[in-house]
Amino acid sequence: MQYFQQEIETMSKAEKRALQSERLVNIVKYAYENQTPYRAKMDAIKLKPSDIKSIDDIYKLPFTVKQDLRDAYPFGMMARPKSDLVHLHASSATTGKLTVAGYTQKDIDVWAECAARCLVMAGADKNSVVHVSYGYGLFTGGLGMHYAGEKLGAVVVPASAGNTQKQIQLLVDFEADIICCTPSYIIYLAEEIEKMGLKIGKDIKLKGGVFGAEAWSEGMREDIEKRLNIRACDIYGLSEIAGPGVACDCQFKTGMHFQDDHYYPEIVDVDTLEPLGYDKSGELVITTLTKEGMPLIRYRTRDIASLNDDPCPCGRTSVKLNKITGRSDDMLIIRGVNVFPSQIESVLLKNENIQPHYHINVDRVNNLDTMEIVVELSPHIALDEVAHVEEIRKKLSADMASALSVSAKITLVSPGTVARSEGKAKRITDNRKLK
Amino acid sequence: MIKQIAVFLENREGRVSECCKVLKDAGINLRSMSIADTKDFGILRIITDDNELALSALKTAGFLSSLVELVAIEVPDKSGALADLLIALYEGSVNIEYMYSFAGANGHAQIGFKTTSPEKAVALLEQCGAKLI
Ligand SMILES: [Zn+2]
């Protein structure tokens, strides 16, 4: 199965543009009429819905930020009365209020369609067994991929998160060929599968997976693909827009195909908020073109990435989202330098003496920021000399300093001692906030 | 040649005793133990009466450990004889990375060392009449 919805996925650029224009005009009018915060935002800059005539006018519209959603908690942003909504999803908030998104049945259908396109990109078809190890609940990961599997006509195994031994048992017994979970969890699963001595291809019959909800690097992808002999696709989504399925890699990995018939992406400069062209890194901004329950106009995702419009051999014509390189929320400022955990990850993954499990400790000593990166040694290396360990540490230290432009203390620890997480990995301890 | 197990230990309180407990629980007797450490970590080197079993017990318990071969000799009774052997190795440009002594199964003192050229070391020691193990 090559495409889930060929006509849309391979639509010509001109047709796509026309469709996006028509949908943007409609959604702006709809938002103005049904969402008080948008009417207020547009009135404040004297912008009328009729001023938006095509997708080229999108830059005239005001941005939406996470705080707007918090201010409107719980129902202030909804465009429909509760009687029309069928689902509420909320994003995990580390501080303060949750952000909530309401979905109508049509929104759920669109979401499922988009996520089903992604499953096909990972190699699924209607004969597949789709094992979903994302958490089910307010978090959109579990249910999103669940609906996607159903929409595709596959068999869905709603394993949810946790209980790894049982998950592996299910993978073996039900012969799942497609898995959906976070990248850190699939690595953990691969480790456990290796420990149990199960044979890849014989006991574990996976051939593809979509992995998201966390930033991960190209090196991690190679590691996952090699260990499990699967196609590992990066999937993008966020609960405010729609869960997983907003964008996903195909087998050619030219960037994640953005479902730009429903979600229109822009990249803007982090400081000036000016729109940037293709291949330039900035904050990803998304406009929902068809949502009914809670449309969002130019929503600032806080994800740092770039877009590309290069043709893809798979035939899909959508714009592509390059790997998320960081989250403006996760960004650490160490002695004035911006550091993203993903940069650290890519250095670690190039070094075969260690494993991609790490923890970052940030502190302030004598008014100077310090950063310690605790890294696990690989269980496959033999170490009998202090000098050998020092060599590994010095190499990492030097590579890290050149990649981050700021020095970090590297602490090497035994395999298995850095805490594994079954959900979003919590890799940073910033003690500066406590002082 | 004899086999030694090298274990990587992060510098954390109780890590050495955790390691010893694993060996004790597996019913393994230690014949020797030496540690090379820095501020942040150490390498523990041990020789046991059952290295294969010890290695698998340590690995199962999550210790980064590996088996390394050492050239080993019985320490001669004559005074100055050990120094002569070491001088012979030095003059034969055998580079010794580390060495330590331990009690042999027969109660005699023995010395084990790690070198990058074990064949050459063995040949030289044989020429000098050392008692290789
Ligand atoms: Zn493609």
Side-chain angles (χ1 to χ4, degrees):
Chain A
M1 192 170 188
Q2 211 180 343
Y3 310 105
F4 180 62
Q5 291 169 309
Q6 181 164 9
E7 208 174 304
I8 299 166
E9 292 177 76
T10 61
M11 182 181 266
S12 78
K13 289 272 171 201
E15 280 176 291
K16 177 70 71 60
R17 205 87 193 147
L19 180 68
Q20 289 168 334
S21 289
E22 179 197 323
R23 287 180 168 175
L24 180 70
V25 169
N26 290 338
I27 202 77
V28 169
K29 183 165 176 284
Y30 176 85
Y32 186 83
E33 285 166 3
N34 298 288
Q35 290 170 288
T36 321
Y38 280 127
R39 179 181 290 257
K41 270 176 190 279
M42 286 172 66
D43 284 347
I45 56 167
K46 297 194 166 58
L47 184 73
K48 292 188 294 295
S50 57
D51 295 331
I52 305 301
K53 295 184 176 69
S54 82
I55 197 77
D56 299 323
D57 294 325
I58 196 164
Y59 72 92
K60 293 179 183 165
L61 290 158
F63 290 101
T64 310
V65 293
K66 209 172 187 114
Q67 191 58 43
D68 294 328
L69 305 188
R70 293 201 185 106
D71 293 346
Y73 184 84
F75 295 118
M77 205 65 175
M78 303 301 160
R80 288 287 180 90
K82 265 184 265 177
S83 57
D84 289 352
L85 301 178
V86 295
H87 262 255
L88 292 175
H89 278 282
S91 71
S92 46
T94 41
T95 52
K97 285 179 193 164
L98 295 169
T99 54
V100 62
Y103 291 79
T104 63
Q105 187 55 52
K106 194 189 142 228
D107 292 338
I108 298 282
D109 289 343
V110 166
W111 176 12
E113 264 173 26
C114 288
R117 294 179 196 168
C118 302
L119 284 178
V120 173
M121 291 184 213
D125 58 32
K126 66 180 176 50
N127 301 312
S128 290
V129 175
V130 178
H131 184 101
V132 181
S133 305
Y134 279 121
Y136 279 61
L138 281 174
F139 168 63
T140 48
L143 284 170
M145 294 324 294
H146 185 104
Y147 295 144
E150 285 184 350
K151 186 67 95 181
L152 183 61
V155 182
V156 179
V157 182
S160 195
N163 199 345
T164 302
Q165 295 307 311
K166 187 163 172 209
Q167 301 252 1
I168 294 172
Q169 182 75 54
L170 294 175
L171 284 173
V172 172
D173 294 349
F174 298 163
E175 304 184 330
D177 55 335
I178 300 289
I179 186 166
C180 314
C181 63
T182 59
S184 57
Y185 191 59
I186 192 68
I187 290 182
Y188 180 64
L189 270 178
E191 272 177 10
E192 292 301 304
I193 286 168
E194 283 162 20
K195 265 193 214 156
M196 289 165 74
L198 295 172
K199 295 269 174 303
I200 303 302
K202 190 165 157 282
D203 303 311
I204 300 291
K205 297 203 167 72
L206 290 173
K207 61 179 194 196
V210 295
F211 308 109
E214 271 174 14
W216 50 310
S217 59
E218 213 42 57
M220 264 168 105
R221 184 206 316 262
E222 280 164 29
D223 186 44
I224 294 164
E225 293 196 326
K226 205 168 66 199
R227 286 168 98 159
L228 292 166
N229 192 27
I230 60 171
R231 180 192 299 175
C233 295
D234 194 358
I235 190 167
Y236 180 76
L238 62 172
S239 72
E240 302 94 305
I241 298 290
V246 172
C248 187
D249 285 315
C250 68
Q251 69 269 40
F252 298 104
K253 288 143 195 167
T254 55
M256 290 176 266
H257 287 284
F258 216 96
Q259 318 288 7
D260 53 8
D261 52 325
H262 292 294
Y263 313 110
Y264 186 81
E266 294 172 84
I267 298 290
V268 300
D269 185 285
V270 182
D271 300 317
T272 65
L273 300 182
E274 284 303 313
L276 297 173
Y278 292 123
D279 307 309
K280 292 207 176 69
S281 180
E283 183 173 350
L284 175 66
V285 170
I286 302 175
T287 299
T288 65
L289 296 175
T290 54
K291 257 181 115 181
E292 296 180 337
M294 194 183 94
L296 290 178
I297 309 281
R298 302 193 86 197
Y299 181 67
R300 290 179 56 190
T301 62
R302 301 183 182 212
D303 286 321
I304 309 294
S306 59
L307 294 170
N308 82 71
D309 197 28
D310 307 332
C312 184
C314 76
R316 292 180 182 85
T317 50
S318 44
V319 157
K320 293 173 295 314
L321 176 67
N322 296 323
K323 225 162 190 26
I324 304 289
T325 55
R327 214 170 145 67
S328 53
D329 295 354
D330 286 348
M331 189 179 81
L332 288 163
I333 303 178
I334 309 289
R335 278 168 259 155
V337 179
N338 296 351
V339 172
F340 290 103
S342 51
Q343 293 174 292
I344 293 173
E345 221 160 74
S346 54
V347 173
L348 298 182
L349 281 151
K350 279 185 209 127
N351 194 314
E352 59 187 17
N353 292 314
I354 53 178
Q355 306 205 94
H357 296 293
Y358 65 95
H359 192 89
I360 304 168
N361 292 310
V362 184
D363 209 339
R364 184 162 289 156
V365 179
N366 300 327
N367 294 317
L368 194 68
D369 296 338
T370 62
M371 176 166 56
E372 179 192 29
I373 305 171
V374 180
V375 188
E376 275 184 16
L377 286 160
S378 157
H380 308 297
I381 55 170
L383 288 174
D384 70 319
E385 284 170 52
V386 165
H388 189 179
V389 182
E390 285 294 354
E391 224 171 84
I392 295 174
R393 203 174 57 81
K394 277 189 188 135
K395 168 94 174 62
L396 260 183
S397 221
D399 290 350
M400 209 57 88
S402 81
L404 306 180
S405 311
V406 62
S407 65
K409 176 185 194 287
I410 305 289
T411 300
L412 298 169
V413 295
S414 302
T417 51
V418 171
R420 305 292 195 270
S421 92
E422 299 198 348
K424 285 199 175 196
K426 296 226 176 334
R427 297 197 172 105
I428 304 170
T429 306
D430 193 343
N431 287 316
R432 293 176 301 183
K433 290 171 192 155
L434 305 173
K435 289 177 182 167
Chain B
M1 306 283 279
I2 58 157
K3 280 187 177 132
Q4 145 208 278
I5 298 170
V7 189
F8 170 86
L9 297 173
E10 49 272 88
N11 221 341
R12 180 152 60 75
E13 199 149 339
R15 201 65 179 141
V16 176
S17 46
E18 277 167 34
C19 176
C20 293
K21 186 169 183 306
V22 168
L23 296 170
K24 181 169 172 273
D25 291 348
I28 288 157
N29 289 315
L30 281 174
R31 282 172 53 196
S32 99
M33 183 177 222
S34 95
I35 190 160
D37 61 354
T38 70
K39 194 160 74 15
D40 298 315
F41 65 91
I43 303 277
L44 179 71
R45 304 185 186 115
I46 51 178
I47 298 172
T48 72
D49 59 352
D50 188 342
N51 287 324
E52 301 294 335
L53 180 63
L55 188 69
S56 97
L58 286 167
K59 285 200 161 168
T60 308
F63 286 93
L64 176 54
S65 30
S66 52
L67 220 46
V68 184
E69 287 219 302
L70 299 182
V71 175
I73 51 169
E74 202 165 288
V75 176
D77 273 339
K78 243 171 47 206
S79 76
L82 178 61
D84 288 343
L85 292 176
L86 294 176
I87 289 164
L89 289 174
Y90 172 74
E91 284 174 349
S93 14
V94 170
N95 179 37
I96 296 178
E97 306 199 2
Y98 57 82
M99 63 190 292
Y100 56 93
S101 66
F102 51 93
N106 57 6
H108 285 280
Q110 300 183 342
I111 281 201
F113 59 88
K114 165 88 180 284
T115 167
T116 42
S117 39
E119 291 85 7
K120 197 160 146 197
V122 167
L124 278 167
L125 290 166
E126 269 172 349
Q127 272 174 28
C128 300
K131 198 168 168 200
L132 283 142
I133 297 149

